[in-house]
Amino acid sequence: MGNSAMKPAFGTVTGLMQDIARIGADKHRGGYSRPVFSGAETELRSWFSEQAGRRGLDVYTDVNGIMWAWWDTSIGIRRDAVVTGSHLDSVPGGGAYDGPLGVASALIAIDILKSRGIRPRRPLAIAVFPEEEGSRFGVACLGSRLLTGAIDPNKVRNLKDVDGNTYADVAAANGQDPRFIGADLSALNQLGLFIELHIEQGRGLFDLDQPVAIGSSILGHGRWKLSVYGQGNHAGTTLMSDRHDPMIAAAKILVGIRDAATKYRDARATVGRLQPIPGGTNVIASRVDMWVDVRHPKDEITASLVESIHLNARLIAAEEGCNIAFDVESLSPTVHFNTSLREQLKGLIPAAPILNTGAGHDAGVLASHIPTAMLFVRNPTGISHSPEEQIEDADSEAGALCLADALSGLIGRARHIG
Ligand code: HGY
Ligand code: MN
Ligand code: MN
């Protein structure tokens, strides 16, 4: 897979991933917790900046917190650029590779291009998008949504983390002026296409016995916040018959969500986060907040599944003398990657199969503005968003080689492919 290349000047993907292996390690959950604007994510940003600087790339962070590292052509005009990259933030207790693999592979791909004596005839940049997981402020792909104007900057400024800190305050404390976040047409107009390498979050490649695949589509997905309101009270002095316990309603609603999703082939519905308020052992909760992640290849099925979840939750809450609030936090339609770019990649990496993904990515957000593509690298267990996420070293290097082959084929092509 991929052309044979001399040893890259700066090392290997495995070596770069080892460089950052201790950053953001979560002793409590296992894996990594690298929320946006945290010390760990900030340290990863400095690591990227240093690595890109070592390669002579021009690195800066834009108004939306997106990092760009440019390898300019001799004429220096930044237009119609080929962009690759991914994200450095993680879910709580996430794996090492979801995000950083794409960033490390982009750095090594540039090493490989340089070791082959290739100079860009079209600007080439690495982009690192913040808050791809939406783990701190609740909206997935926040950086690419801001860049493309897909989200109201006022809504973003007022997003809060679990401690009640607003995005505006945290961004300002981290050197980003929240007054200027939002659609950035000057940045967007520099871009010609985006190709993101990512660890596969599934076992497709393992089953096909291939190291790298080309992406075809991203499943539509959304997140809703469901709050169940009951009557807070004392665990010892409140008879069972006198309770309006939102935890009971929430438990029934949760099982109902699973049952509703199993009725639709290919649907996925998950509650990975549930928060009783106030959360005391000897306290009947007054409220329970839960967050529902729903996905399906057909957006209309996602909508009807969410509708039935909402209705069922309302009915169950009423039975328990409770009521609910149900609000959308983020919603992304199913995205089919640019066919011409995908076919071009197929020509450049002929052995790579075509696979879809159930995971969201910044490439999905950018797809409505420029041709985008993805490369997936084999994940032997398919497990992701877990400390057990893993990859074989040889596959990491194969991924970077394929990315280098793709980039060398894409540099210097006309802006709009097909
Ligand atoms: O949630 C997702 O699909 C992605 O990992 N952000
Ligand atoms: Mn992820
Ligand atoms: Mn990811």
Side-chain angles (χ1 to χ4, degrees):
M1 178 70 79
N3 302 330
S4 61
M6 290 108 76
K7 193 162 165 18
F10 286 94
T12 60
V13 175
T14 306
L16 289 182
M17 293 302 292
Q18 280 161 355
D19 286 353
I20 60 174
R22 56 168 185 74
I23 301 174
D26 188 323
K27 295 190 185 65
H28 170 59
R29 298 183 178 96
Y32 292 89
S33 294
R34 299 160 163 170
V36 70
F37 297 129
S38 63
E41 194 244 10
T42 305
E43 198 179 341
L44 286 173
R45 286 168 163 269
S46 315
W47 164 81
F48 172 71
S49 195
E50 195 267 329
Q51 286 293 333
R54 264 200 218 179
R55 290 163 172 81
L57 305 181
D58 175 23
V59 198
Y60 64 88
T61 301
D62 72 11
V63 287
N64 292 311
I66 301 167
M67 294 185 82
W68 301 92
W70 287 88
W71 184 12
D72 288 315
T73 60
S74 46
I75 45 173
I77 299 170
R78 288 176 181 170
R79 194 173 47 75
D80 203 18
V82 173
V83 182
T84 185
S86 191
H87 61 96
L88 292 171
D89 66 302
S90 78
V91 294
Y97 303 97
D98 176 353
L101 183 75
V103 176
S105 302
L107 290 164
I108 297 299
I110 285 186
D111 293 344
I112 295 169
L113 293 178
K114 289 186 173 194
S115 69
R116 291 178 186 168
I118 292 172
R119 295 245 350 109
R121 282 177 292 129
R122 184 174 169 185
L124 181 54
I126 303 176
V128 177
F129 292 97
E131 187 65 330
E132 188 278 340
E133 298 291 3
S135 297
R136 182 162 187 179
F137 294 103
V139 176
C141 300
L142 189 58
S144 52
R145 287 177 199 262
L146 281 168
L147 167 68
T148 56
I151 189 166
D152 173 359
N154 278 320
K155 172 181 173 183
V156 175
R157 279 186 272 269
N158 296 309
L159 291 173
K160 288 195 173 129
D161 65 14
V162 283
D163 300 319
N165 305 302
T166 64
Y167 178 95
D169 290 344
V170 178
N174 284 272
Q176 188 189 342
D177 190 333
R179 291 174 299 171
F180 302 123
I181 61 172
D184 185 349
L185 284 185
S186 61
L188 213 47
N189 287 336
Q190 293 179 323
L191 314 184
L193 64 87
F194 177 63
I195 173 169
E196 179 172 0
L197 180 143
H198 203 283
I199 184 170
E200 187 194 353
Q201 293 160 304
R203 284 172 48 108
L205 281 165
F206 178 81
D207 296 341
L208 292 168
D209 193 20
Q210 283 288 337
V212 178
I214 297 165
S216 56
S217 64
I218 294 180
L219 221 52
H221 55 285
R223 301 176 181 193
W224 285 262
K225 182 180 178 184
L226 198 170
S227 296
V228 188
Y229 294 85
Q231 177 56 61
N233 213 324
H234 191 298
T237 58
T238 314
L239 296 178
M240 296 310 282
S241 54
D242 294 341
R243 296 183 179 203
H244 302 299
D245 185 347
M247 279 293 256
I248 304 302
K252 289 181 177 176
I253 289 167
L254 241 171
V255 173
I257 288 170
R258 188 277 308 271
D259 295 348
T262 45
K263 291 197 182 86
Y264 296 83
R265 212 169 76 82
D266 250 351
R268 299 117 210 242
T270 313
V271 175
R273 192 176 151 210
L274 181 140
Q275 180 78 44
I277 305 294
T281 304
N282 56 352
V283 177
I284 301 169
S286 54
R287 184 181 96 230
V288 174
D289 291 338
M290 66 172 92
W291 285 263
V292 195
D293 179 310
V294 181
R295 310 194 190 204
H296 191 276
K298 287 198 168 53
D299 299 336
E300 61 277 16
I301 302 271
T302 305
S304 51
L305 175 49
V306 168
E307 190 46 43
S308 66
I309 288 171
H310 185 183
L311 188 61
N312 194 33
R314 198 170 289 290
L315 293 172
I316 290 171
E319 283 165 12
E320 296 295 332
C322 299
N323 50 55
I324 66 162
F326 190 70
D327 299 295
V328 63
E329 285 209 330
S330 71
L331 189 57
S332 311
T334 290
V335 168
H336 298 280
F337 291 120
N338 180 285
T339 317
S340 315
L341 179 54
R342 196 188 68 208
E343 289 316 305
Q344 198 178 348
L345 286 179
K346 192 68 188 145
L348 294 163
I349 321 168
I354 307 280
L355 285 179
N356 70 14
T357 178
H361 299 280
D362 292 300
V365 176
L366 291 173
S368 38
H369 295 268
I370 53 171
T372 62
M374 289 196 78
L375 295 181
F376 300 123
V377 182
R378 178 165 39 194
N379 170 344
T381 65
I383 294 172
S384 185
H385 284 190
S386 157
E388 293 164 65
E389 185 182 75
Q390 54 180 284
I391 200 166
E392 299 294 333
D393 293 352
D395 286 345
S396 295
E397 307 316 323
L401 267 179
C402 284
L403 182 60
D405 291 345
L407 294 174
S408 57
L410 294 168
I411 296 173
R413 297 273 178 164
R415 172 187 172 106
H416 289 295
I417 302 157

PDB file of all heavy atoms in Angstrom, residues 213-230:
ATOM      1  N   ALA A 213      -8.703   2.768   4.047  1.00  0.00           N
ATOM      2  CA  ALA A 213      -9.908   2.875   3.199  1.00  0.00           C
ATOM      3  C   ALA A 213     -10.136   4.333   2.835  1.00  0.00           C
ATOM      4  O   ALA A 213      -9.629   5.259   3.494  1.00  0.00           O
ATOM      5  CB  ALA A 213     -11.132   2.343   3.939  1.00  0.00           C
ATOM      6  N   ILE A 214     -10.931   4.515   1.782  1.00  0.00           N
ATOM      7  CA  ILE A 214     -11.368   5.862   1.378  1.00  0.00           C
ATOM      8  C   ILE A 214     -12.805   6.030   1.859  1.00  0.00           C
ATOM      9  O   ILE A 214     -13.620   5.108   1.725  1.00  0.00           O
ATOM     10  CB  ILE A 214     -11.301   5.997  -0.161  1.00  0.00           C
ATOM     11  CG1 ILE A 214      -9.851   5.849  -0.639  1.00  0.00           C
ATOM     12  CG2 ILE A 214     -11.880   7.340  -0.635  1.00  0.00           C
ATOM     13  CD1 ILE A 214      -9.721   5.610  -2.140  1.00  0.00           C
ATOM     14  N   GLY A 215     -13.129   7.197   2.421  1.00  0.00           N
ATOM     15  CA  GLY A 215     -14.473   7.394   2.971  1.00  0.00           C
ATOM     16  C   GLY A 215     -15.501   7.672   1.889  1.00  0.00           C
ATOM     17  O   GLY A 215     -15.193   8.315   0.877  1.00  0.00           O
ATOM     18  N   SER A 216     -16.725   7.191   2.120  1.00  0.00           N
ATOM     19  CA  SER A 216     -17.790   7.486   1.149  1.00  0.00           C
ATOM     20  C   SER A 216     -18.811   8.453   1.744  1.00  0.00           C
ATOM     21  O   SER A 216     -19.266   9.389   1.105  1.00  0.00           O
ATOM     22  CB  SER A 216     -18.509   6.193   0.748  1.00  0.00           C
ATOM     23  OG  SER A 216     -18.993   5.562   1.942  1.00  0.00           O
ATOM     24  N   SER A 217     -19.198   8.215   3.011  1.00  0.00           N
ATOM     25  CA  SER A 217     -20.225   9.081   3.610  1.00  0.00           C
ATOM     26  C   SER A 217     -20.126   9.055   5.133  1.00  0.00           C
ATOM     27  O   SER A 217     -19.494   8.162   5.711  1.00  0.00           O
ATOM     28  CB  SER A 217     -21.617   8.590   3.196  1.00  0.00           C
ATOM     29  OG  SER A 217     -21.824   7.293   3.732  1.00  0.00           O
ATOM     30  N   ILE A 218     -20.798  10.063   5.727  1.00  0.00           N
ATOM     31  CA  ILE A 218     -20.871  10.175   7.201  1.00  0.00           C
ATOM     32  C   ILE A 218     -22.340  10.106   7.564  1.00  0.00           C
ATOM     33  O   ILE A 218     -23.160  10.833   6.990  1.00  0.00           O
ATOM     34  CB  ILE A 218     -20.302  11.518   7.702  1.00  0.00           C
ATOM     35  CG1 ILE A 218     -18.804  11.623   7.429  1.00  0.00           C
ATOM     36  CG2 ILE A 218     -20.589  11.712   9.195  1.00  0.00           C
ATOM     37  CD1 ILE A 218     -18.184  12.946   7.905  1.00  0.00           C
ATOM     38  N   LEU A 219     -22.677   9.257   8.512  1.00  0.00           N
ATOM     39  CA  LEU A 219     -24.053   9.104   8.982  1.00  0.00           C
ATOM     40  C   LEU A 219     -24.585  10.418   9.555  1.00  0.00           C
ATOM     41  O   LEU A 219     -23.868  11.099  10.295  1.00  0.00           O
ATOM     42  CB  LEU A 219     -24.020   8.100  10.146  1.00  0.00           C
ATOM     43  CG  LEU A 219     -25.096   7.054  10.262  1.00  0.00           C
ATOM     44  CD1 LEU A 219     -25.253   6.303   8.965  1.00  0.00           C
ATOM     45  CD2 LEU A 219     -24.746   6.071  11.376  1.00  0.00           C
ATOM     46  N   GLY A 220     -25.819  10.754   9.226  1.00  0.00           N
ATOM     47  CA  GLY A 220     -26.440  11.919   9.871  1.00  0.00           C
ATOM     48  C   GLY A 220     -26.529  11.683  11.372  1.00  0.00           C
ATOM     49  O   GLY A 220     -26.723  10.547  11.820  1.00  0.00           O
ATOM     50  N   HIS A 221     -26.339  12.747  12.144  1.00  0.00           N
ATOM     51  CA  HIS A 221     -26.343  12.560  13.604  1.00  0.00           C
ATOM     52  C   HIS A 221     -26.708  13.862  14.300  1.00  0.00           C
ATOM     53  O   HIS A 221     -26.469  14.941  13.786  1.00  0.00           O
ATOM     54  CB  HIS A 221     -24.989  12.067  14.109  1.00  0.00           C
ATOM     55  CG  HIS A 221     -23.836  12.931  13.729  1.00  0.00           C
ATOM     56  ND1 HIS A 221     -23.303  12.961  12.442  1.00  0.00           N
ATOM     57  CD2 HIS A 221     -23.112  13.816  14.442  1.00  0.00           C
ATOM     58  CE1 HIS A 221     -22.298  13.804  12.400  1.00  0.00           C
ATOM     59  NE2 HIS A 221     -22.153  14.354  13.587  1.00  0.00           N
ATOM     60  N   GLY A 222     -27.312  13.662  15.502  1.00  0.00           N
ATOM     61  CA  GLY A 222     -27.660  14.873  16.261  1.00  0.00           C
ATOM     62  C   GLY A 222     -27.598  14.580  17.751  1.00  0.00           C
ATOM     63  O   GLY A 222     -27.471  13.423  18.176  1.00  0.00           O
ATOM     64  N   ARG A 223     -27.641  15.649  18.531  1.00  0.00           N
ATOM     65  CA  ARG A 223     -27.600  15.536  20.006  1.00  0.00           C
ATOM     66  C   ARG A 223     -28.723  16.383  20.579  1.00  0.00           C
ATOM     67  O   ARG A 223     -28.921  17.515  20.150  1.00  0.00           O
ATOM     68  CB  ARG A 223     -26.291  16.104  20.558  1.00  0.00           C
ATOM     69  CG  ARG A 223     -25.058  15.461  20.054  1.00  0.00           C
ATOM     70  CD  ARG A 223     -23.837  16.183  20.600  1.00  0.00           C
ATOM     71  NE  ARG A 223     -22.624  15.568  20.073  1.00  0.00           N
ATOM     72  CZ  ARG A 223     -21.415  15.811  20.563  1.00  0.00           C
ATOM     73  NH1 ARG A 223     -21.268  16.638  21.572  1.00  0.00           N
ATOM     74  NH2 ARG A 223     -20.356  15.228  20.056  1.00  0.00           N
ATOM     75  N   TRP A 224     -29.433  15.766  21.555  1.00  0.00           N
ATOM     76  CA  TRP A 224     -30.531  16.495  22.212  1.00  0.00           C
ATOM     77  C   TRP A 224     -30.318  16.455  23.721  1.00  0.00           C
ATOM     78  O   TRP A 224     -29.832  15.426  24.246  1.00  0.00           O
ATOM     79  CB  TRP A 224     -31.864  15.828  21.867  1.00  0.00           C
ATOM     80  CG  TRP A 224     -32.308  16.119  20.467  1.00  0.00           C
ATOM     81  CD1 TRP A 224     -33.210  17.061  20.057  1.00  0.00           C
ATOM     82  CD2 TRP A 224     -31.826  15.467  19.261  1.00  0.00           C
ATOM     83  NE1 TRP A 224     -33.330  17.046  18.693  1.00  0.00           N
ATOM     84  CE2 TRP A 224     -32.495  16.090  18.171  1.00  0.00           C
ATOM     85  CE3 TRP A 224     -30.915  14.453  18.985  1.00  0.00           C
ATOM     86  CZ2 TRP A 224     -32.284  15.709  16.853  1.00  0.00           C
ATOM     87  CZ3 TRP A 224     -30.701  14.061  17.671  1.00  0.00           C
ATOM     88  CH2 TRP A 224     -31.371  14.682  16.627  1.00  0.00           C
ATOM     89  N   LYS A 225     -30.667  17.548  24.399  1.00  0.00           N
ATOM     90  CA  LYS A 225     -30.612  17.548  25.862  1.00  0.00           C
ATOM     91  C   LYS A 225     -32.032  17.315  26.372  1.00  0.00           C
ATOM     92  O   LYS A 225     -32.964  18.044  25.986  1.00  0.00           O
ATOM     93  CB  LYS A 225     -30.083  18.876  26.399  1.00  0.00           C
ATOM     94  CG  LYS A 225     -29.958  18.880  27.926  1.00  0.00           C
ATOM     95  CD  LYS A 225     -29.433  20.197  28.457  1.00  0.00           C
ATOM     96  CE  LYS A 225     -29.361  20.181  29.994  1.00  0.00           C
ATOM     97  NZ  LYS A 225     -28.943  21.512  30.524  1.00  0.00           N
ATOM     98  N   LEU A 226     -32.206  16.275  27.186  1.00  0.00           N
ATOM     99  CA  LEU A 226     -33.523  15.925  27.731  1.00  0.00           C
ATOM    100  C   LEU A 226     -33.455  16.102  29.245  1.00  0.00           C
ATOM    101  O   LEU A 226     -32.665  15.428  29.913  1.00  0.00           O
ATOM    102  CB  LEU A 226     -33.849  14.461  27.379  1.00  0.00           C
ATOM    103  CG  LEU A 226     -35.294  13.989  27.458  1.00  0.00           C
ATOM    104  CD1 LEU A 226     -35.439  12.599  26.828  1.00  0.00           C
ATOM    105  CD2 LEU A 226     -35.831  13.928  28.872  1.00  0.00           C
ATOM    106  N   SER A 227     -34.244  17.022  29.788  1.00  0.00           N
ATOM    107  CA  SER A 227     -34.255  17.228  31.247  1.00  0.00           C
ATOM    108  C   SER A 227     -35.584  16.751  31.806  1.00  0.00           C
ATOM    109  O   SER A 227     -36.645  17.072  31.248  1.00  0.00           O
ATOM    110  CB  SER A 227     -34.058  18.716  31.570  1.00  0.00           C
ATOM    111  OG  SER A 227     -32.781  19.123  31.140  1.00  0.00           O
ATOM    112  N   VAL A 228     -35.526  15.967  32.869  1.00  0.00           N
ATOM    113  CA  VAL A 228     -36.741  15.478  33.535  1.00  0.00           C
ATOM    114  C   VAL A 228     -36.862  16.211  34.870  1.00  0.00           C
ATOM    115  O   VAL A 228     -35.915  16.195  35.682  1.00  0.00           O
ATOM    116  CB  VAL A 228     -36.675  13.953  33.790  1.00  0.00           C
ATOM    117  CG1 VAL A 228     -38.019  13.448  34.299  1.00  0.00           C
ATOM    118  CG2 VAL A 228     -36.276  13.211  32.504  1.00  0.00           C
ATOM    119  N   TYR A 229     -37.984  16.919  35.064  1.00  0.00           N
ATOM    120  CA  TYR A 229     -38.183  17.706  36.289  1.00  0.00           C
ATOM    121  C   TYR A 229     -39.143  16.965  37.232  1.00  0.00           C
ATOM    122  O   TYR A 229     -40.215  16.532  36.802  1.00  0.00           O
ATOM    123  CB  TYR A 229     -38.775  19.083  35.943  1.00  0.00           C
ATOM    124  CG  TYR A 229     -37.836  19.950  35.144  1.00  0.00           C
ATOM    125  CD1 TYR A 229     -37.772  19.841  33.746  1.00  0.00           C
ATOM    126  CD2 TYR A 229     -36.982  20.842  35.773  1.00  0.00           C
ATOM    127  CE1 TYR A 229     -36.899  20.617  32.998  1.00  0.00           C
ATOM    128  CE2 TYR A 229     -36.102  21.641  35.031  1.00  0.00           C
ATOM    129  CZ  TYR A 229     -36.065  21.510  33.647  1.00  0.00           C
ATOM    130  OH  TYR A 229     -35.186  22.273  32.913  1.00  0.00           O
ATOM    131  N   GLY A 230     -38.725  16.782  38.502  1.00  0.00           N
ATOM    132  CA  GLY A 230     -39.588  16.112  39.487  1.00  0.00           C
ATOM    133  C   GLY A 230     -39.607  16.926  40.766  1.00  0.00           C
ATOM    134  O   GLY A 230     -39.439  18.150  40.735  1.00  0.00           O
TER     135      GLY A 230
END
